Amino acid sequence: AFDVLVVGGGPAGASAAVYAARKGLRTGVLAERFGGQVADTVGIENFISVQYTEGPKLVNALEAHVRQYEVDIMNNQRATKLSKSEQVELELANGAVLKSKTLILAPGARWREMNVPGEQEYRGKGVAYCPHCDGPLFKGKKVAVIGGGNSGIEAAIDLAGIVEHVTVLEFAAELRADAVLVNKANSMGNITIITEAQTTEVTGDGNKVNGIQYTDRNSGDSHHIELAGIFVQIGLVPNTEWLRGAVELSPRGEIIVDERGQTSLPGVFAAGDATTAPYKQIVIAMGSGANASLGAFDYLIRH
Ligand code: FAD
């Protein structure tokens, strides 16, 4: 059995594992895919003290750091069920059951995709999901934001300060964002909001994005906008479906944690994008992984 078992091999899980191992605790890391979202990232320019790196390179560095300690890495393994009696029990898709005194949940999240032609082809070549990460790459250029909820309108306001022009495309007839955000967006000179717009295709020149095609759902007409970047903001979904009923989740499915990363189930902690932490970034995930791991250590010395 483990002292600390970590579910997730992204920045949050890797950080939690290093902190646990450095306390001399028997530590295991279970990951469906070690590296998590970082493995899908091209350039990273906001991992503080590293001016520029790339996803796969950072994933290798994360793994090397974890492997420097006696951590049992179980890659390509999916957790399917969490329960607790004396110890925490974790059931895997392959039928195995792992036991641990404490558990750190760091299963991350996934961006909801548009599922239109060109989206995958131009991912990282103009199609982006994170304005904090990739906004500066489009300085002085034209971009679109897909989605008129709070995250979409926040992204548009954020990007409008950097890029030349932002077009927001919303599928519904009304924006779902808070009025204060919509008013702010409308007051900025370089944001155009188009409702009842169904995105149909990301267009490009073979190397990078050069535009977006959408259908006006009212008239049925098809339109093309020339631009350099497309920020997809139609939802970030936490990978917590399997945790329903085991730990308390927010209405959006995020794991509810306190300031030590403790969940509603004693001895079970959580960190990273899967939690209620409002901002989803690598440095933040790493910080919360360290925090949850220290929370688990504190719990162990008291039990
Ligand atoms: P994740 O990275 O999502 O990792 C989750 C881990 O859990 C994975 O190993 C996964 O396989 C595993 N897992 C999930 N469910 C299970 C299960 N049931 N059983 C076992 N394992 C499971 N942030 C920045 O700071 N800068 C950037 O430039 C940047 N660019 C980005 C670009 C893209 C395209 C994307 C998608 C994200 C980007 N982000 C960026 C956001 C950043 O990647 C995330 O905030 C960060 O990876 C979250 O870390 P995490 O450890 O919480 O989760």
Side-chain angles (χ1 to χ4, degrees):
F2 295 100
D3 294 319
V4 177
L5 179 58
V6 181
V7 180
S15 169
V18 168
Y19 267 74
R22 287 172 56 79
K23 293 287 184 197
L25 301 169
R26 277 166 301 169
T27 306
V29 177
L30 183 86
E32 203 170 353
R33 187 178 57 137
F34 196 90
Q37 293 169 69
V38 178
D40 295 328
T41 302
V42 188
I44 299 167
E45 299 184 351
N46 58 3
F47 182 43
I48 306 309
S49 85
V50 178
Q51 289 171 30
Y52 180 83
T53 187
E54 288 178 355
K57 203 171 150 194
L58 182 54
V59 172
N60 286 339
L62 287 176
E63 187 172 346
H65 201 168
V66 175
R67 286 202 189 280
Q68 207 193 332
Y69 300 94
E70 257 179 64
V71 174
D72 190 353
I73 299 185
M74 295 157 276
N75 200 3
N76 306 312
Q77 298 288 341
R78 185 162 56 90
T80 53
K81 196 168 173 236
L82 163 63
S83 57
K84 193 181 171 194
S85 45
E86 191 100 321
Q87 296 199 324
V88 183
E89 294 190 6
L90 196 68
E91 224 172 279
L92 311 193
N94 70 6
V97 176
L98 300 176
K99 291 187 181 177
S100 183
K101 289 182 186 153
T102 65
L103 189 73
I104 297 174
L105 296 166
R110 55 192 190 273
W111 292 97
R112 193 167 277 141
E113 298 178 351
M114 296 182 290
N115 287 318
V116 298
E119 181 177 20
Q120 293 303 333
E121 185 183 351
Y122 291 110
R123 204 183 166 133
K125 298 170 183 167
V127 175
Y129 297 84
C130 174
H132 316 302
C133 313
D134 297 337
L137 303 176
F138 299 94
K139 191 167 189 240
K141 297 183 176 159
K142 292 191 175 85
V143 303
V145 169
I146 311 303
N150 280 337
S151 56
I153 302 302
E154 278 170 14
I157 295 166
D158 172 2
L159 291 164
I162 304 170
V163 306
E164 185 194 328
H165 185 266
V166 185
T167 306
V168 177
L169 297 177
E170 163 60 44
F171 181 85
E174 305 261 327
L175 298 179
R176 280 160 297 127
D178 298 341
V180 56
L181 291 173
V182 177
N183 292 341
K184 170 83 179 172
N186 283 328
S187 76
M188 298 186 76
N190 59 345
I191 299 179
T192 306
I193 296 173
I194 304 177
T195 55
E196 294 191 80
Q198 177 164 19
T199 305
T200 53
E201 189 180 351
V202 173
T203 62
D205 63 6
N207 291 315
K208 53 183 178 21
V209 166
N210 64 15
I212 193 156
Q213 191 84 27
Y214 74 93
T215 302
D216 178 334
R217 296 173 61 229
N218 220 348
S219 66
D221 294 343
S222 187
H223 300 276
H224 185 259
I225 307 174
E226 277 182 29
L227 42 76
I230 298 165
F231 286 83
V232 184
Q233 296 290 305
I234 53 178
L236 184 68
V237 189
N239 299 318
T240 56
E241 291 84 355
W242 60 284
L243 291 167
R244 229 167 261 151
V247 292
E248 207 182 318
L249 303 177
S250 74
R252 302 166 116 193
E254 294 171 330
I255 304 166
I256 297 174
V257 288
D258 70 9
E259 66 273 23
R260 285 162 194 260
Q262 169 73 57
T263 70
S264 59
L265 192 58
V268 177
F269 296 76
D273 281 13
T275 71
T276 44
Y279 306 112
K280 320 290 190 190
Q281 293 282 282
I282 295 165
V283 285
I284 295 172
M286 283 188 180
S288 74
N291 190 57
S293 201
L294 294 173
F297 177 71
D298 245 3
Y299 175 90
L300 283 168
I301 59 178
R302 284 174 166 74
H303 288 80

